[in-house]
Amino acid sequence: MRLGELISEYRKKHNMSMEDFHRVSGISKSYIGFLEKGAHPQTGKPITPSYNSVMKAAKAFGIHVDTLMHMINEDICIGDDDIILMTNYQNAISIPVMGRVAAGSPIDAIEDVIDYVVIPEDMATQDEYFGLKIKGRSMEPQIFDGDIVIVRKSAVAETGDIVIATVHSDDAVCKKLKTNKSKTILRSLNHDFEDIDVTGDASFRILGVVVELRRKL
């Protein structure tokens, strides 16, 4: 179901007005209305709920956000970077999903293919992509262990991008890139994990930029 449908059902079950749900969730009344209708009233375009809205709704429902994520069957915008959790495609092509990416190995030479996923055909005509299965908790609460990220191959990225990169002799890591005039940092979204300072590190190499998140429901 869509997030808006779940909110609507919850409000009806608990005899809550939009104002009531706004107070317990922190989601604005107008946005609740957009979510429930599933489209913007002026443009008619589908609403893509943000992950932040999912977290607020989960808190109002009294359930864990991951539980609610598994109840939702629609596109979700994950975080401030507009990474999209996608569902089904038409006119799609398959790309490989890697179980690991070893430092120093050209991405095209990697043989550790564990699965295949599809991306839109028009998307694939513009750039090259691969999938990577995430291991560990360093990117929670947005990207979880076992999730698959869709990565656009690129040797460069902008600050704020979530990237796949290799450092030293380790396998590739999924981190948020933070750069300024003096430092380059690979940052985890989970604050229990320390930053990786790659400033001046010759072994640091960006393999690609994460553009989508796949999570099996």
Side-chain angles (χ1 to χ4, degrees):
M1 297 180 70
R2 293 186 298 101
L3 176 61
E5 292 173 322
L6 292 168
I7 292 174
S8 179
E9 283 194 357
Y10 185 88
R11 290 201 306 107
K12 290 176 182 177
K13 181 178 179 181
H14 294 84
N15 195 27
M16 298 176 70
S17 65
M18 285 190 182
E19 175 66 29
D20 294 332
F21 195 80
H22 158 67
R23 284 199 299 267
V24 297
S25 69
I27 304 173
S28 70
K29 288 190 294 182
S30 60
Y31 194 58
I32 292 170
F34 293 166
L35 289 173
E36 293 191 358
K37 291 177 181 177
H40 194 285
Q42 294 180 337
T43 65
K45 293 183 178 180
I47 295 291
T48 302
S50 67
Y51 184 79
N52 187 47
S53 296
V54 177
M55 288 195 296
K56 289 180 178 180
K59 182 179 178 181
F61 292 165
I63 60 177
H64 192 276
V65 63
D66 198 34
T67 301
L68 182 54
M69 284 291 289
H70 282 79
M71 296 167 62
I72 296 170
N73 185 22
E74 66 175 332
D75 299 354
I76 300 294
C77 178
I78 306 292
D80 297 330
D81 302 285
D82 293 332
I83 300 174
I84 305 297
L85 169 65
M86 300 299 289
T87 52
N88 298 318
Y89 291 120
Q90 294 180 339
N91 301 322
I93 67 167
S94 296
I95 60 171
V97 175
M98 313 298 178
R100 64 187 287 268
V101 177
S105 298
I107 191 68
D108 293 331
I110 294 171
E111 297 181 354
D112 188 24
V113 177
I114 60 171
D115 201 355
Y116 287 87
V117 295
V118 296
I119 63 173
E121 188 176 33
D122 58 351
M123 178 177 169
T125 60
Q126 300 174 24
D127 294 285
E128 291 186 78
Y129 295 85
F130 66 94
L132 180 66
K133 187 172 184 178
I134 298 298
K135 296 179 181 178
R137 302 176 49 250
S138 70
M139 296 301 281
E140 293 180 1
Q142 294 184 13
I143 305 175
F144 290 84
D145 182 63
D147 284 348
I148 292 172
V149 291
I150 306 302
V151 185
R152 174 174 52 81
K153 293 182 184 180
S154 176
V156 296
E158 297 181 359
T159 187
D161 284 343
I162 293 181
V163 300
I164 304 301
T166 56
V167 185
H168 308 307
S169 60
D170 297 329
D171 288 354
V173 295
C174 179
K175 301 290 180 183
K176 189 168 190 174
L177 181 67
K178 289 292 184 180
T179 61
N180 55 38
K181 293 182 179 179
S182 60
K183 278 195 173 186
T184 301
I185 301 292
L186 295 178
R187 178 161 295 169
S188 299
L189 299 182
N190 186 336
H191 298 306
D192 291 339
F193 292 78
E194 295 183 357
D195 291 347
I196 303 174
D197 189 342
V198 294
T199 307
D201 191 332
S203 68
F204 168 60
R205 183 165 67 107
I206 294 174
L207 301 179
V209 177
V210 175
V211 296
E212 291 182 14
L213 170 65
R214 303 292 178 89
R215 179 171 297 150
K216 292 186 177 180
L217 303 178

